[in-house]
Every structure is written in structure tokens, then in C-alpha cells.
Amino acid sequence: PDLWLLLLGNNSVQKISGREGLNTAPAVSPDGDLLAVTLSVDGNAEIYLMTESGQNPLRLTHSRGIDTEPTFAPDGRFIAFTSDRMGSPQVYVMHVDGSNVRRLTYRGNYNASPSWSPGGDWIAFASRHERGQFDVCKVRTDGTGFVRLTRKGSNKDPSWSPDGYHLVYSSLRNGQRNLYTITYDGSGERQITTGGGFTNPAWGPFPHR
């Protein structure tokens, strides 16, 4: 796979990265100037920082595991990401220059898809629980305060609303995968799509008008 940029103003597209191997999991910095992406150009899936045009890639991670799914903190100073460097996928946090990497999740043997809250104090993620399915959970950025938000079906791909009050996510229930919303404390769960086939939601940067 290659990385492409879609310009919404005129629907034109431009290629950002077509390097050998994987070019995946792009995340745009809050100021729009940088991209955090997963590349395997050096032989292993690692996270790189590059300009919005795909130039000057800077390798941020160095591990034997797969490092992917980067997401920027609201202030642009930190990046959360998923890595299986310790044997199972877990959520990690590092400075935007790749320094001071620390593991954030310890509950569950598979934690992935981190999403930073707009206030910068929580990270939501998908966690595999004892039934072998996934739930949307959240944890503070210092690793404390683990909260399980969902308890029905298998739930993945959380994304915060701009005000930090809700999350949207995909859930597999009754044989169909649809999108649901839930409040930050796990109440008020609501199905918002029907028919199945809905995955990877991303809440827009502006409230609905």
C-alpha cells in the first residue's frame, strides 16, 4: 500500500509515500505540518515522521516488533502508538521526536487503536477481554484510571468527539458491524448506523452544525 492525500477543496489526490514495503496508518499533526506514518522501508514496520508532502522521513521507533497506529496528542508534543515489541500488541507513548518511549497499557493481552482525547488527558483504545472479543476502554496518559466503556459485542476503532464528551466506534453485534456512540463515562450508548459493514469511524474536527 501507498499513502495518498485527498484535497477536499477540489477532490484532487497526490501521492505522499510510495516507498518500498508498507506505507500505512497516517496521522496528521494538530498544526497540519507533519505526518506520523508506518513504513517498512528499512525491513521492519516502524513509525516515521515526515512533512505533509512526504519528504524527509525521520524514523522514530527502533524495535523488533511492529510499531503502527500513531496518533498525536492535541498539543502535538506526544505520539501514542501500538507496538507488539513485548510479545503482544500494547499502547505506548513517546515524545514527538521518538524519545522517552513508555508503555501505557498493562491490562489485557491485546490493546490497539489508540485515540487521544481532545483535552489530552485520556487515551481510548480497543482491548481484548476474557471472551476473546474487544471493548472500547480508556486510560489516563500516565497509565492510571483504566475504564472499560463497552460491554456488548466486539467493539473497535474508537474516535473522540471534538468536545471530548462522546466517542464513536464500530461494534459487531447480531452478525453486523455498525457504528455506535457512547459518552465518556460509558453511559448513553446509541446505534447510529444500520445494515452492517461500517468500520473505522473518524469524528470530524468540528461539531455538527
Side-chain angles (χ1 to χ4, degrees):
D2 296 331
L3 287 181
W4 296 78
L5 176 68
L6 170 65
L7 302 177
L8 298 180
N10 56 15
N11 286 333
S12 65
V13 295
Q14 65 185 55
K15 195 173 187 177
I16 296 176
S17 180
R19 295 170 174 86
E20 182 179 358
L22 298 174
N23 300 264
T24 61
V28 183
S29 65
D31 60 12
D33 292 337
L34 297 172
L35 294 173
V37 304
T38 296
L39 305 177
S40 61
V41 64
D42 291 331
N44 193 48
E46 305 284 354
I47 295 174
Y48 291 74
L49 200 64
M50 62 176 64
T51 64
E52 61 178 359
S53 62
Q55 303 301 310
N56 306 315
L58 172 65
R59 182 171 169 177
L60 299 182
T61 59
H62 299 80
S63 77
R64 295 182 179 180
I66 296 174
D67 298 322
T68 188
E69 298 182 324
T71 176
F72 284 93
D75 61 7
R77 297 173 54 209
F78 300 91
I79 293 175
F81 63 99
T82 302
S83 177
D84 66 354
R85 61 184 62 194
M86 298 298 292
S88 66
Q90 299 292 337
V91 177
Y92 291 76
V93 175
M94 63 182 169
H95 285 276
V96 72
D97 62 0
S99 62
N100 297 319
V101 178
R102 57 186 175 86
R103 181 173 167 178
L104 192 67
T105 56
Y106 286 89
R107 295 183 60 171
N109 61 4
Y110 195 117
N111 297 296
S113 303
S115 176
W116 221 300
S117 70
D121 50 347
W122 293 92
I123 293 177
F125 57 97
S127 179
R128 187 166 61 190
H129 52 72
E130 62 275 3
R131 291 183 287 115
Q133 295 181 317
F134 286 85
D135 273 315
V136 173
C137 302
K138 68 176 184 177
V139 67
R140 292 190 180 93
T141 54
D142 62 359
T144 64
F146 175 90
V147 179
R148 181 174 167 182
L149 298 175
T150 61
R151 295 183 179 275
K152 297 179 181 178
S154 187
N155 309 280
K156 296 183 177 182
D157 312 317
S159 176
W160 290 88
S161 64
D163 60 7
Y165 193 76
H166 291 89
L167 296 101
V168 63
Y169 54 94
S170 65
S171 181
L172 180 62
R173 305 178 189 184
N174 303 317
Q176 293 184 331
R177 184 167 290 280
N178 283 296
L179 302 186
Y180 290 73
T181 61
I182 200 168
T183 59
Y184 70 94
D185 61 0
S187 63
E189 187 176 50
R190 184 168 64 97
Q191 182 176 343
I192 61 173
T193 65
T194 59
F198 295 91
T199 62
N200 298 97
W203 211 304
F206 304 108
H208 177 70
R209 293 185 176 89

